[in-house]
Amino acid sequence: MEHPENNSQYKGLVVNSGIEQPSIVNPYLKQMHRKRRQMLSVQEFVDGILAGNVTVLSQAVTLVESVRPEHQAMAQEVIERCLPYSGNSVRIGISGVPGAGKSTSIDVFGLHVLERTGGKLAVLAIDPSSEKTKGSILGDKTRMERLSVHPDVFVRPSPSAGSLGGVARKTRETIILCEAAGFDTIFVETVGVGQSETAVHSMVDFFLLIQLAGTGDELQGIKRGIMEMADGIIINKADGNNIDKAKLAATQFRNALHLFPASESGWTPQVLTYSGFYNIGVKEVWDMVYKYIDFVKANGYFDYRRNEQSKYWMYETINEHLRDSFYNNPRISGMLEQKERQVLGGLETSFAAAKDLLDTYWREIGK
Ligand code: GDP
């Protein structure tokens, strides 16, 4: 409506007619939203990964980590198509308790490896506490200052959802994608708390255990069987007035290793001291790693171990899916608490309760 003061009869001040106000909602918002959520096709994922496009690789890893069934189905297809292009890397597991110097060491190790072999490096992580911490303990970009800004390095924190088995499977699938994208060295980092080492061990060619002198970890390590998994034990912080203590610890580890049966690979695990912070002895650590790789490639153990790992992951994946299917079944989850009470109250034996639950489950999925 025309403003009354603009009427030609109006004698007061003339007011210009206003301009049309734009909508407060950005008309392009919908389009932008759609664009942001637009998902690549399987073909686009595969093409991008094989071309070494890190943005696409990163998106594919997000897809692998997604819990949505449609994402999972798509991720499986992408992995399947990338599989023939994978396998051409050296996979190194790196473990140690918090404070052992993993991130400091990985930063230095990564640069050393890149200088030595060229190529590209991916740093992945399996963080058993990631469900709570959202994967912030390991694989954090800020923890590896130089690698995180290096153009040939892909750093990815631990997947954060699900059980340790689930998290580990996603990391293993990520290895396949990274290899297809041309990464020829893969580091998989984990915290030294037991179970997660087994998971990392099951997906790497060389398992490197970072230890400290005089923390009492030596014995704990033996107890948990972690030392048995190690292909190399390296004692960090061998610098300043800590050098003698580190050397002593190395001797203790060497002695302890003698108590173990010979490893399947025919390789005798070595114990070295080094300092990640001062970059002392780093070359020797990697001389050891590459010596091992040459050794097991020559005697056939390299391929044998990878085949065994593929088998292991097939069964792990089956177990995981069966478990999920069982516990996520609404009928079962509705019964569990009551069954638990009955067992605790001595009204039913554990075995009878388990059998009843399983029978119910078979009936449910048979429907
Ligand atoms: P992470 O928790 O295993 O990742 O350990 P960090 O790499 O964060 O290291 C823990 C602490 O140990 C930091 O304060 C580091 O500066 C220190 N540190 C790491 N490597 C060395 C080393 O070789 N020598 C010494 N003296 N300190 C180190």
Side-chain angles (χ1 to χ4, degrees):
M1 202 182 72
E2 190 65 23
H3 196 284
E5 292 176 2
N6 281 344
N7 190 308
S8 57
Q9 310 293 317
Y10 186 69
K11 294 288 179 236
L13 275 172
V14 174
V15 177
N16 288 329
S17 53
I19 57 159
E20 200 188 327
Q21 289 296 313
S23 155
I24 54 162
V25 179
N26 183 345
Y28 298 110
L29 199 62
K30 225 173 167 179
Q31 210 176 320
M32 280 162 53
H33 199 54
R34 206 179 304 135
K35 201 166 171 200
R36 193 165 57 84
R37 298 189 72 189
Q38 196 179 46
M39 176 80 84
L40 298 178
S41 67
V42 169
Q43 187 64 47
E44 285 167 327
F45 271 121
V46 175
D47 289 346
I49 290 169
L50 294 183
N53 183 326
V54 174
T55 312
V56 175
L57 171 66
S58 205
Q59 285 172 6
V61 175
T62 306
L63 199 68
V64 166
E65 292 175 357
S66 169
V67 288
R68 283 169 61 176
E70 67 271 27
H71 288 173
Q72 270 304 303
M74 206 171 164
Q76 288 312 315
E77 224 181 310
V78 174
I79 294 164
E80 195 94 354
R81 303 254 308 261
C82 285
L83 201 58
Y85 305 96
S86 71
N88 296 322
S89 78
V90 174
R91 307 166 183 167
I92 317 281
I94 299 174
S95 168
V97 294
K102 289 181 296 302
S103 45
T104 311
S105 302
I106 289 174
D107 211 34
V108 175
F109 289 170
L111 292 178
H112 177 82
V113 167
L114 288 171
E115 210 170 281
R116 188 165 177 152
T117 65
K120 298 196 289 180
L121 165 73
V123 182
L124 313 176
I126 292 180
D127 185 346
S129 61
S130 59
E131 216 172 336
K132 284 180 212 137
T133 60
K134 297 280 171 250
S136 59
I137 294 182
L138 296 178
D140 192 334
K141 287 186 191 236
T142 54
R143 293 171 61 243
M144 294 149 204
E145 281 174 26
R146 285 167 294 183
L147 289 190
S148 61
V149 294
H150 198 290
D152 299 322
V153 180
F154 176 66
V155 180
R156 184 81 187 192
S158 174
S160 58
S163 60
L164 174 61
V167 168
R169 179 176 54 78
K170 288 170 189 176
T171 302
R172 179 166 157 93
E173 290 173 343
T174 302
I175 292 179
I176 294 170
L177 299 184
C178 289
E179 288 176 348
F183 285 84
D184 20 40
T185 306
I186 316 266
F187 287 175
V188 186
E189 179 190 9
T190 196
V191 185
V193 290
Q195 276 178 316
S196 61
E197 269 104 344
T198 313
V200 171
H201 184 252
S202 67
M203 61 180 82
V204 296
D205 305 314
F206 191 98
F207 188 78
L208 200 51
L209 185 61
I210 300 181
Q211 290 283 4
L212 293 175
T215 54
D217 270 331
E218 298 93 324
L219 264 172
Q220 286 177 34
I222 295 166
K223 230 192 290 178
R224 291 192 303 240
I226 291 166
M227 266 181 74
E228 264 181 286
M229 284 191 280
D231 300 300
I233 295 174
I234 49 174
I235 309 196
N236 191 18
K237 308 195 186 182
D239 47 53
N241 52 17
N242 205 27
I243 294 181
D244 287 342
K245 267 199 275 176
K247 282 191 177 149
L248 181 66
T251 309
Q252 287 170 345
F253 276 112
R254 276 186 207 112
N255 290 339
L257 281 173
H258 283 311
L259 304 174
F260 296 133
S263 66
E264 237 183 323
S265 59
W267 167 262
T268 311
Q270 294 186 12
V271 184
L272 299 173
T273 60
Y274 79 108
S275 166
F277 191 82
Y278 293 101
N279 202 342
I280 305 167
V282 169
K283 180 185 172 292
E284 287 71 14
V285 168
W286 288 89
D287 284 347
M288 164 179 74
V289 174
Y290 288 115
K291 195 171 151 199
Y292 169 89
I293 299 292
D294 287 344
F295 178 76
V296 291
K297 276 195 170 164
N299 74 5
Y301 184 77
F302 185 88
D303 290 330
Y304 170 78
R305 179 157 162 174
R306 284 206 173 175
N307 286 338
E308 286 296 302
Q309 290 173 340
S310 298
K311 221 161 69 181
Y312 169 86
W313 280 100
M314 183 182 89
Y315 288 112
E316 268 301 297
T317 310
I318 293 172
N319 293 346
E320 191 196 336
H321 283 287
L322 284 178
R323 217 170 12 231
D324 283 355
S325 162
F326 178 80
Y327 287 109
N328 292 337
N329 185 293
R331 190 71 206 286
I332 296 298
S333 52
M335 283 171 74
L336 280 174
E337 210 174 305
Q338 187 219 347
K339 281 283 176 198
E340 221 179 84
R341 269 200 307 272
Q342 270 177 270
V343 170
L344 290 178
L347 300 172
E348 204 176 0
T349 67
S350 320
F351 311 106
K355 183 165 186 318
D356 191 20
L357 282 163
L358 284 168
D359 286 344
T360 310
Y361 173 70
W362 302 132
R363 272 199 305 277
E364 283 296 304
I365 59 165
K367 272 183 190 165

